[in-house]
Amino acid sequence: MTTTMSRRNALRLGAGALGSLGAAWALSSCSDASASRPMQFWNNYSPQRAGDPNVIAQSDWFLNATRRWAEAGERPVDMVHIPGYTDPTNTRITTAFAADEGPDIFLISPGDFLRYYNGGVLTDLTPYLTQEAIDDFYPDALATRMVDGRVYGLPMEQEPLAIFYDIAAFEEAGLAEGDLPSTWDDMLGLGRELTGGQRAGLVLDTTPSYYQNFTFYPWIWQGGGDVIDPASGTPHFDSDAAVQALSLFQEAVQSGASPRTLPAGGDLVSAFTNGYAAMWQTGIWQVEAMRQNAPDHPYGIFQLPSPPGGQSVTALGGWAFVVNSRGVDPDAAARFTVELMGTMSERSIGAAVEWNGLAKGNIPARRSVTRAIGDTGSFENPILQQFRDEIVPTGRGEPRYPPVIYKAVSNAIQNTMLAGAEANEQAQITQSAIESYLETYEGGSLI
């Protein structure tokens, strides 16, 4: 793990310890010793004083927010940076919750929402929000943090996926913008053509994780399929669309278009600048990483190609603030979260403008922030404009499947992509596993 926390690494939270959190929860009240201590905010951004400029800028954004809160006379918030915060081998946060010592505020992706909601961890933030502020959030951004009309997390961003490509690699192969692929077959063919020497033609994530699942979902959606059918709420993985998507990942590796391991340790900037990759499925966060670390290196993006009869669809991820319902001061933690991320005040909107437009450079989760960013010039970067105008309209919110469903899908991807298993068989196995799990599932809605 380097000092730069990539989105790929930042979504790798394993599926184990919190699966049974509710049963392990100790119903204890705050001790007298904790009554005066600062609240803790566990995260993967801050504080950090070393690393590339955007790491420091993102760390400072959090530190400035907590400083302003303390200066207003509120209960202080201590930022606690957890190295490997969401690495599946790092059990610090899940172990802390199981021991009733979880942080007061923390960050989660949609993929982890039901793990914590079903475990009884999350504070209902609805009483602290105005209806105007709730309506200000884009529906796809907020829906995966809501249950029965109640809000349990406030998204700070939307992060769409696209294919990044290295212009130098294309030019070396005699290719130009007109050669960008729009179909799966063209993408795989181009991946094989651009593979050679130390360069991988097309990089698809290969590590089992919530992030790999996140990158996989759009390929199912493009064929009209899903893991859980949104209309009926029933499993839908044993389908032509899922088999087609699994086969795509398998063919990418078996044909030589994609590598079995990630180039440059999973760092796109190093991969592009050192000639290790030509195309890479990844997200908007890489735009700021390229600007800060390789501002003169030419690259571009294009929509995820689609299968025959399908259409381009991408996934919209992103982090959200959530509050521990059994922390030392849930009321203060909820007020801090809402005042920073969820009011119509100039300060709250300005903080989100600074995060999305300057510190991280991605798509806001709120309409007011989008409007405000439009006046700052932050989206003068043509790549960001392309994300905003071409990629986001094809987007769909990242699903919030609980750990058992995540793991069943992850196994199917791994078994077909890297172990040579039959896609049809894996789709059936996954379907059966999800059906069995849902027979006794109790918790928040999966869709």
Side-chain angles (χ1 to χ4, degrees):
M1 177 74 64
T2 64
T3 54
T4 303
M5 173 61 67
S6 71
R7 165 75 173 183
R8 177 179 58 85
N9 289 329
L11 284 179
R12 289 192 178 144
L13 183 57
L18 269 180
S20 58
L21 178 83
W25 192 268
L27 298 179
S28 60
S29 61
C30 298
S31 68
D32 292 339
S34 69
S36 60
R37 78 161 174 84
M39 297 181 290
Q40 291 193 345
F41 189 160
W42 287 18
N43 74 101
N44 48 293
Y45 289 107
S46 181
Q48 293 193 83
R49 301 309 315 160
D52 57 53
N54 60 314
V55 167
I56 296 172
Q58 291 163 20
S59 174
D60 287 347
W61 184 87
F62 283 93
L63 294 176
N64 290 337
T66 57
R67 174 184 52 78
R68 291 192 300 267
W69 176 257
E71 288 175 350
E74 297 284 359
R75 186 170 191 152
V77 176
D78 284 350
M79 298 302 300
V80 180
H81 178 250
I82 308 296
Y85 177 69
T86 50
D87 189 296
T89 63
N90 184 352
T91 62
R92 180 171 173 180
I93 189 168
T94 52
T95 300
F97 273 114
D100 198 18
E101 297 175 352
D104 301 281
I105 309 163
F106 56 111
L107 298 178
I108 58 174
S109 69
D112 258 337
F113 176 83
L114 286 177
R115 178 201 302 265
Y116 292 100
Y117 173 81
N118 291 344
V121 168
L122 303 184
T123 295
D124 181 0
L125 301 176
T126 315
Y128 300 87
L129 292 159
T130 66
Q131 189 61 49
E132 182 185 12
I134 292 173
D135 293 341
D136 190 46
F137 284 89
Y138 291 109
D140 275 347
L142 192 60
T144 52
R145 281 82 172 199
M146 298 181 69
V147 177
D148 296 331
R150 313 296 290 181
V151 178
Y152 291 89
L154 293 184
M156 59 194 300
E157 61 201 4
Q158 295 185 94
E159 296 185 316
L161 296 168
I163 306 289
F164 283 64
Y165 69 96
D166 180 37
I167 290 177
F170 270 60
E171 291 179 343
E172 183 179 317
L175 300 169
E177 186 174 341
D179 297 301
L180 295 177
S182 60
T183 69
W184 289 7
D185 286 344
D186 289 344
M187 179 179 68
L188 293 180
L190 197 57
R192 291 190 294 271
E193 181 179 349
L194 290 167
T195 296
Q198 63 181 1
R199 177 177 287 133
L202 169 66
V203 179
L204 302 173
D205 200 84
T206 58
T207 305
S209 62
Y210 272 101
Y211 177 73
Q212 186 187 42
N213 283 29
F214 169 61
T215 67
F216 177 75
Y217 295 134
W219 306 105
I220 303 179
W221 299 338
Q222 289 184 4
D226 220 316
V227 178
I228 303 293
D229 177 43
S232 64
T234 58
H236 192 52
F237 201 79
D238 187 8
S239 65
D240 291 342
V243 171
Q244 184 177 245
L246 291 171
S247 299
L248 171 68
F249 272 44
Q250 182 178 71
E251 185 180 353
V253 171
Q254 291 185 350
S255 70
S258 298
R260 298 178 66 88
T261 58
L262 299 177
D267 182 60
L268 176 131
V269 176
S270 296
F272 275 13
T273 56
N274 291 288
Y276 297 147
M279 297 183 292
W280 198 312
Q281 183 196 8
T282 183
I284 191 172
W285 56 90
Q286 300 288 6
V287 177
E288 183 65 12
M290 289 293 293
R291 187 187 74 82
Q292 292 281 3
N293 298 287
D296 298 323
H297 190 87
Y299 72 98
I301 65 167
F302 57 91
Q303 291 182 347
L304 302 185
S306 56
Q311 59 182 351
S312 182
V313 183
T314 194
L316 305 174
W319 293 102
F321 284 51
V322 291
V323 173
N324 181 358
S325 61
R326 302 184 191 275
V328 298
D329 194 342
D331 174 70
R335 288 189 293 106
F336 168 80
T337 295
V338 171
E339 288 189 26
L340 178 61
M341 300 304 304
T343 76
M344 300 306 297
S345 70
E346 183 177 344
R347 171 169 287 184
S348 179
I349 294 170
V353 167
E354 184 180 352
W355 176 257
N356 290 281
L358 299 173
K360 196 171 182 184
N362 52 17
I363 303 299
R366 299 174 58 185
R367 296 177 175 89
S368 61
V369 178
T370 299
R371 290 193 296 268
I373 284 181
D375 299 330
T376 67
S378 298
F379 272 72
E380 290 179 355
N381 183 316
I383 303 294
L384 288 178
Q385 291 177 9
Q386 191 175 350
F387 263 111
R388 181 192 62 196
D389 300 336
E390 298 179 19
I391 308 297
V392 170
T394 71
R396 174 178 163 183
E398 178 185 357
R400 63 182 196 188
Y401 304 134
V404 172
I405 294 179
Y406 144 71
K407 191 63 167 61
V409 175
S410 178
N411 288 344
I413 299 169
Q414 288 292 302
N415 290 338
T416 51
M417 186 180 196
L418 302 177
E422 291 292 332
N424 278 301
E425 179 184 8
Q426 290 302 307
Q428 292 168 8
I429 291 172
T430 302
Q431 175 82 7
S432 177
I434 296 174
E435 287 176 344
S436 296
Y437 171 67
L438 292 184
E439 286 179 0
T440 57
Y441 173 75
E442 295 182 359
S445 169
L446 305 183
I447 54 176

